Amino acid sequence: MEKHTISVLVENKFGVLARVAGLFSGRGYNIESLSVNVTENPQISRMTIVTTGDENVIEQIDKQVCKLMDVINVTDLTGSHFIERELALIKVKATPKNRSQVVEIAEIFEGKIVSVNKCELGIELSGRAEKIDDFIALLKEFGIIAIARTGRVAMSKNSECSE
Amino acid sequence: MEKHTISVLVENKFGVLARVAGLFSGRGYNIESLSVNVTENPQISRMTIVTTGDENVIEQIDKQVCKLMDVINVTDLTGSHFIERELALIKVKATPKNRSQVVEIAEIFEGKIVSVNKCELGIELSGRAEKIDDFIALLKEFGIIAIARTGRVAMSKNSECSE
């Protein structure tokens, strides 16, 4: 069962998020992560949903979501032609004694230190989900205090140029 | 009416997202953006919701969301003691003639170029929502092809150190 990233363009109206989320839970499709925000057109929002399933299940999801009110279109953004990103804010224990170790790991991953006090560090990290997973796994030994992680967003790498 | 960032910790179970989204739409509370993903504990997910309302409305939302099944706790993360971030992938028209202008703007905002071909550039940008809004506004004159934007995530800057 593969992870799929599904992009859903919707009219920015009351209830459309509840309708899409309700379809997933009602049919027993899992939502692993979800992001929703406005697009360049404030009347239209884009939802990006990460879900798991074989080709059949994903085809079913695409069809059923398409039929919902205020849904404009549904695209499966899975595969190598897509750039995928998530962002995480991670607060980790770090004392003056071991702080430099945590900072070093953050630098390797190109994370940004966003807060610090005498017992903890706040780090911002963006990248593919696997990179964020690896970063969190490495920080576990120091003691993770909190994680706030966006859902995934994705975009095709290239499109045809008209000329 | 102020924008509020509300963090909702939930059991990672079927239907909890639909329940929370349904409460917002059923009561007529707007969801401006939403992010949901797992935390350091894979049994628990964190939703971050941006909504608009006066103090009374936000208090009502907090109370009602708290009562929903599988909701662990609700925190209002609004104010100066919180770090807020979003991430956006933006595809913009850029020809060999004006590409360097687009790249220059991306560099000023500390964005990363993630894809390029002869007619467009893909840029990754993270930061506060206002920064991303400003960046998008500046790119509009070149022609925006697509935007995929995560919901917001937020984290308190500091907590009390126990010693």
Side-chain angles (χ1 to χ4, degrees), chain B residues 81-132:
Chain B
H81 297 294
F82 298 93
I83 294 155
E84 296 185 338
R85 291 290 183 275
E86 293 184 10
L87 181 143
L89 292 172
I90 300 152
K91 200 186 278 181
V92 61
K93 286 184 191 161
T95 61
K97 269 190 185 162
N98 66 11
R99 192 182 292 139
S100 62
Q101 285 180 54
V102 179
V103 171
E104 190 175 85
I105 294 172
E107 281 171 353
I108 291 168
F109 281 79
E110 299 182 78
K112 287 182 199 167
I113 309 294
V114 290
S115 69
V116 59
N117 70 12
K118 65 179 181 176
C119 63
E120 57 189 42
L121 272 178
I123 304 166
E124 173 192 340
L125 185 74
S126 61
R128 291 177 56 84
E130 296 78 7
K131 175 183 164 186
I132 294 176

Side-chain angles (χ1 to χ4, degrees), chain A residues 37-42 44 46 153 155, chain B residues 86-93 102 105-106 108-111 121 123-150:
Chain A
N37 212 328
V38 290
T39 63
E40 61 278 26
N41 176 348
I44 294 174
R46 186 191 300 273
V153 285
M155 182 169 275
Chain B
E86 293 184 10
L87 181 143
L89 292 172
I90 300 152
K91 200 186 278 181
V92 61
K93 286 184 191 161
V102 179
I105 294 172
I108 291 168
F109 281 79
E110 299 182 78
L121 272 178
I123 304 166
E124 173 192 340
L125 185 74
S126 61
R128 291 177 56 84
E130 296 78 7
K131 175 183 164 186
I132 294 176
D133 289 341
D134 290 349
F135 184 63
I136 292 168
L138 261 174
L139 291 183
K140 269 191 178 153
E141 64 166 301
F142 299 96
I144 287 170
I145 300 162
I147 295 176
R149 189 166 173 172
T150 67

Side-chain angles (χ1 to χ4, degrees), chain B residues 31-84:
Chain B
I31 290 181
E32 201 160 299
S33 83
L34 182 144
S35 274
V36 54
N37 212 328
V38 290
T39 62
E40 61 277 27
N41 176 349
Q43 311 296 320
I44 294 174
S45 286
R46 186 191 300 273
M47 285 182 205
T48 313
I49 299 169
V50 178
T51 188
T52 329
D54 59 25
E55 288 302 319
N56 268 340
V57 168
I58 302 301
E59 213 186 301
Q60 282 301 313
I61 291 176
D62 283 6
K63 271 188 196 164
Q64 288 162 8
V65 174
C66 253
K67 285 183 195 158
L68 293 176
M69 202 164 71
D70 299 325
V71 168
I72 300 165
N73 77 43
V74 180
T75 323
D76 187 353
L77 298 183
T78 313
S80 57
H81 297 294
F82 298 93
I83 294 155
E84 296 185 338

